[in-house]
Amino acid sequence: MVRVLFQKLLVAYPDLAALLLRVGFGFMMSVNHGYVKLMHFHEWKTDFTSFMGLDGSLSLALAIFAELVCSIMLVLGLFTRLALVPLLITMVVIFQAHKWDLLGEGELATSFLIGYLAILAAGPGRYSLDSLLEKRLKNKGGRHQVV
């Protein structure tokens, strides 16, 4: 019964589905990962994974930018597809750190990657700042489409 209700809801309201994906994945990443890294920056900066020769503190700062700032942008639906780029790169870095174990230790990163790819394909939806900005640009005669 509940499953049928949700299927009808998501089929009838694809913009609601996009909103749920954005808010769900963005909130989980920002609170459980980005914010935690920000709070522990000084403790973790020396031991954090070095990526492509960058020192640990710079790698950690880039991870915080992706996981906190870009996730908040994702929740808001602000420059959604652009905000997904650092998040997707971060998932690839996590896979590399877990020796490409997509179903073991990297299972959570795999889940986030799938969610981010779905959002990338679906777009931000009507309930987003991107949609609001696009409407404003059209009303002012602008022909630019928001990312």
Side-chain angles (χ1 to χ4, degrees), residues 61-136:
L62 290 171
I64 291 169
F65 171 76
E67 295 176 3
L68 186 62
V69 176
C70 292
S71 290
I72 291 169
M73 291 172 64
L74 185 63
V75 168
L76 297 173
L78 180 63
F79 305 115
T80 303
R81 288 188 167 119
L82 187 61
L84 283 167
V85 172
L87 289 165
L88 289 165
I89 291 169
T90 301
M91 294 307 104
V92 172
V93 171
I94 292 169
F95 291 144
Q96 183 265 332
H98 289 290
K99 308 213 183 328
W100 302 96
D101 184 9
L102 304 180
L103 301 176
E105 289 184 23
E107 180 181 10
L108 185 58
T110 303
S111 299
F112 274 105
L113 178 69
I114 292 167
Y116 292 153
L117 290 173
I119 297 166
L120 186 67
R126 182 175 33 172
Y127 309 119
S128 66
L129 290 178
D130 285 344
S131 178
L132 183 66
L133 290 171
E134 188 174 351
K135 285 178 189 174
R136 287 190 144 197

Side-chain angles (χ1 to χ4, degrees), residues 34-47:
Y35 181 74
V36 171
K37 284 180 178 71
L38 180 64
M39 293 296 102
H40 295 283
F41 181 83
H42 292 292
E43 301 164 33
W44 296 356
K45 66 181 178 182
T46 55
D47 296 328

Side-chain angles (χ1 to χ4, degrees), residues 1-8:
M1 171 75 175
V2 172
R3 185 175 138 192
V4 172
L5 176 66
F6 278 115
Q7 284 177 338
K8 286 184 179 182

Side-chain angles (χ1 to χ4, degrees), residues 18-58:
L19 175 68
L20 288 172
L21 281 171
R22 279 193 356 261
V23 170
F25 280 96
F27 181 77
M28 294 295 291
M29 180 59 75
S30 64
V31 172
N32 291 337
H33 300 280
Y35 181 74
V36 171
K37 284 180 178 71
L38 180 64
M39 293 296 102
H40 295 283
F41 181 83
H42 292 292
E43 301 164 33
W44 296 356
K45 66 181 178 182
T46 55
D47 296 328
F48 198 76
T49 302
S50 175
F51 174 67
M52 292 180 59
L54 303 174
D55 71 341
S57 60
L58 183 54

